Amino acid sequence: MSDTNLSTKQHRIYDITISGLAIIAAILVLIDFSEGLNEWQSHLDRDILLIFLADYLIRLWTARDKWKFIRTNICDLIAILPFHTVFRLFKAASLARTAPLANIIRLMKLPRLFAFLYRPLKKAHRFLNTNGFKYVVFITTVFIIVGGILIHFAEGMSYGDGIWWAFVTATTVGYGDISPATFYGRIIAMVLMLVGIGLIGTVTSTLTSYFLNAGTKTVKSKTLEHIKEELDHFDDLSEQDVEDLCSILKALKKQNL
């Protein structure tokens, strides 16, 4: 959907709706990865996929430079690719139930998970950019997913239990309902504990910096932030929009002088 066709209020509603659907879709990917989707979850997953497909095609149709749009929206494209359907076309899914290919098919779902999470995280860029918090979130998420997969092989846990255990360990909650007993499992736990300590410390400092900066924002900083947000959608700006932004920048420059 082209941003130039939406008012500020409509744009906010659109962002919240799409980001909410992306989070739901990411949760469905995790459920599918661990234990598979039941009937209503499969229908919901399909409906969300159709919504994202329609949204992508509309934005592609209204984009001025379509090839550039495709290059800059790779994550959106990955999110709408039906990997599981492709495997069914080759009748690999039925064979995978009893073969090692099952693990490969499950791992192929992970790119969709990151693709779905990309959009809501992108919309929260101001908070995530504070103290480089986005890098901490990304690294921690990778460690949790990799740790959950590795613990499956080290301890024989299911993928669902492995991801749950890795998340609980990395967040330093430590319920103790699942604990590693092997040497390699404990090594994985130690790494996740160290990652979790860094995550908690970064969350605390980021929240403090974010709210302190939010409370001391000037008109100038708010204006510059608005201009940056507009420039994020540079391809969708009209010539008049660009001239208006230039006029605002010139006015700010004169004010400083």
Side-chain angles (χ1 to χ4, degrees):
M1 187 175 297
S2 178
D3 293 335
T4 56
N5 297 328
L6 300 177
S7 64
T8 302
K9 184 177 180 179
Q10 290 173 330
H11 188 276
R12 187 176 295 112
I13 294 174
Y14 166 77
D15 283 342
I16 293 173
T17 302
I18 292 296
S19 296
L21 289 175
I23 293 173
I24 295 173
I27 294 173
L28 290 174
V29 170
L30 286 175
I31 295 174
D32 193 17
F33 182 78
S34 61
E35 58 190 37
L37 301 177
N38 58 33
E39 185 176 354
W40 75 266
Q41 290 169 340
S42 296
H43 285 303
L44 179 59
D45 182 59
R46 182 195 61 195
D47 293 341
I48 292 176
L49 179 63
L50 290 175
I51 292 173
F52 283 152
L53 176 60
D55 173 69
Y56 183 87
L57 292 176
I58 292 173
R59 290 187 294 130
L60 176 62
W61 178 262
T62 57
R64 291 187 180 89
D65 188 340
K66 291 178 171 51
W67 176 237
K68 186 174 183 180
F69 173 86
I70 294 174
R71 293 200 317 270
T72 55
N73 291 273
I74 294 296
C75 285
D76 291 349
L77 181 60
I78 293 174
I80 62 176
L81 291 177
F83 291 109
H84 55 287
T85 302
V86 174
F87 281 107
R88 287 197 188 101
L89 291 176
F90 289 96
K91 298 182 179 180
S94 59
L95 296 175
R97 293 172 185 169
T98 56
L101 188 59
N103 290 331
I104 298 176
I105 292 177
R106 288 190 172 189
L107 292 176
M108 285 295 293
K109 297 171 184 175
L110 292 181
R112 289 191 72 198
L113 173 63
F114 289 108
F116 281 130
L117 291 176
Y118 173 78
R119 180 172 287 192
L121 291 178
K122 183 180 179 181
K123 296 303 177 183
H125 66 279
R126 188 162 65 86
F127 174 74
L128 293 172
N129 283 336
T130 304
N131 294 344
F133 187 59
K134 60 183 179 182
Y135 302 110
V136 177
V137 171
F138 176 77
I139 293 172
T140 303
T141 302
V142 171
F143 268 91
I144 289 174
I145 294 176
V146 173
I149 294 173
L150 291 179
I151 205 71
H152 161 76
F153 297 102
E155 298 284 336
M157 299 182 191
S158 67
Y159 285 110
D161 286 342
I163 296 294
W164 166 251
W165 169 83
F167 180 81
V168 169
T169 303
T171 54
T172 68
V173 175
Y175 284 123
D177 55 338
I178 304 175
S179 57
T182 65
F183 171 77
Y184 293 110
R186 290 173 178 174
I187 292 295
I188 296 170
M190 291 169 61
V191 174
L192 286 174
M193 289 174 191
L194 293 175
V195 172
I197 292 172
L199 172 67
I200 299 302
T202 305
V203 168
T204 303
S205 63
T206 300
L207 286 172
T208 303
S209 300
Y210 178 78
F211 286 110
L212 284 177
N213 292 336
T216 57
K217 276 191 172 183
T218 62
V219 175
K220 176 183 175 181
S221 62
K222 290 181 179 179
T223 303
L224 289 175
E225 183 178 315
H226 171 72
I227 293 174
K228 290 177 182 178
E229 291 177 354
E230 292 293 324
L231 291 176
D232 286 338
H233 307 284
F234 182 78
D235 291 338
D236 295 325
L237 295 177
S238 64
E239 292 185 5
Q240 184 61 46
D241 292 332
V242 174
E243 291 179 3
D244 291 341
L245 292 177
C246 290
S247 298
I248 295 173
L249 288 172
K250 289 179 181 179
L252 289 175
K253 187 66 176 179
K254 287 180 180 180
Q255 194 176 40
N256 286 339
L257 295 176

